[in-house]
Amino acid sequence: MSKICLVQGGGRGLGLALVRRLLAADESSRVIATARDPKSHSALAELAQQHGERLQTCALDLADGASIAAAREQVGTLTSRLDLLITCGGILHEGKHMWPEKKLADVNPDNLARAFAVNAAGPILMIKHFHDLLIHGERAVIASLSARVGSISDNGYGGWYAYRASKAAQNQLTRTAAIELRRRSKQLVCVGLHPGTVDTGLSEPFQRNVPEKQLQTPDTAAQHLLEVIAKLTPEDSGQLFDWAGKVIAP
């Protein structure tokens, strides 16, 4: 049976690399890629033209609950099941108005709300609206891309209040959903994944502090994440893994 995968945030960066990898891995697989405006992503459009019906696109804004619900309705017209759901969206900085905080004086309530809307609320709403498509008695995986800085026990530097807190919330929400979903399907795995530092727009302003060997291309990061996903078992559900498959403590 061909696998059907949905990649939220599949229009660029790591999400687009995951779409490419999934399409190349199995010629019988199908991928649904979402973006706020799929038509504005030329690389995604080229992939759709190349792979025909194997790649479908759908509009979805991770910060808009109504948009997520509408996307679920559209996806329901394309398939009655999913084998893999990956949520890639996240926000660390945005224009001149949102930047990682260095000190308490930088904490801004609007930026906190924005970070939580995208990094925490968005991923759990994806699980809320799409999980039923992954409950079909066979192995299925929900992978919510998170970050190591969301680990409270791993926080040794401080700063980045909104990003750290919203990612910590995302990890807790993912774990809580995993507990509930385990009761509904023993074959459903629900985890958080830390992709490492990837050469994308999210990390670009901070890459000068990253050792060269630790900065991954989107394609390399996608390969690592899919290797981790392939090895996940139901016993792993609820945990946060890094790109090398190692558990990150809460």
Side-chain angles (χ1 to χ4, degrees):
M1 179 182 294
S2 63
K3 301 297 183 181
I4 305 174
C5 313
L6 189 148
V7 179
Q8 179 278 321
R12 61 183 178 178
L14 180 52
L16 180 63
L18 284 163
V19 171
R20 284 199 178 102
R21 281 272 174 181
L22 288 166
L23 289 168
D26 181 356
E27 293 185 355
S28 65
S29 66
R30 294 168 53 197
V31 178
I32 302 169
T34 80
R36 276 180 291 182
D37 180 10
K39 295 180 180 179
S40 68
H41 297 281
S42 59
L44 186 61
E46 290 174 5
L47 278 178
Q49 185 176 15
Q50 177 183 351
H51 292 280
E53 294 184 357
R54 289 185 57 215
L55 175 59
Q56 303 286 335
T57 61
C58 175
L60 189 155
D61 183 348
L62 193 61
D64 185 341
S67 175
I68 296 173
R72 169 61 182 86
E73 291 296 320
Q74 182 178 345
V75 170
T77 67
L78 301 174
T79 181
S80 61
R81 62 172 283 158
L82 291 173
D83 297 286
L84 174 62
L85 167 64
I86 306 179
T87 300
C88 297
I91 188 170
L92 173 59
H93 53 87
E94 191 172 46
K96 298 180 180 179
H97 305 289
M98 184 176 185
W99 196 256
E101 308 91 343
K102 294 182 178 180
K103 54 186 182 298
L104 279 168
D106 297 333
V107 174
N108 178 290
D110 293 334
N111 291 345
L112 282 171
R114 176 67 172 160
F116 272 80
V118 177
N119 296 336
I124 194 60
L125 288 175
M126 288 292 299
I127 297 174
K128 171 187 174 180
H129 287 288
F130 286 92
H131 75 271
D132 62 306
L133 296 176
L134 295 109
I135 297 178
H136 42 61
E138 299 179 25
R139 181 181 181 273
V141 176
I142 296 173
S144 184
L145 297 200
S146 185
R148 187 184 298 275
V149 296
S151 167
I152 295 174
S153 62
D154 192 61
N155 184 357
Y157 295 98
W160 291 32
Y161 286 88
Y163 192 68
R164 287 186 185 278
S166 59
K167 285 296 183 179
Q170 178 187 1
N171 296 341
Q172 179 70 287
L173 291 165
T174 301
R175 181 171 179 81
T176 303
I179 293 171
E180 177 179 346
L181 294 176
R182 185 70 185 272
R183 302 187 189 115
R184 301 184 60 183
S185 175
K186 300 297 184 183
Q187 298 302 312
L188 178 56
V189 184
C190 180
V191 298
L193 293 179
H194 166 61
T197 304
V198 186
D199 187 8
T200 64
L202 185 143
S203 69
E204 192 276 333
F206 316 100
Q207 291 177 8
R208 62 185 177 186
N209 297 321
V210 179
E212 184 177 351
K213 293 184 178 180
Q214 293 183 21
L215 181 62
Q216 303 181 66
T217 66
D219 182 65
T220 298
Q223 177 186 354
H224 289 156
L225 291 176
L226 292 176
E227 289 173 351
V228 173
I229 289 171
K231 297 176 181 178
L232 292 173
T233 69
E235 287 68 34
D236 296 320
S237 199
Q239 299 192 78
L240 174 65
F241 293 87
D242 70 9
W243 61 268
K246 298 180 179 179
V247 175
I248 298 174

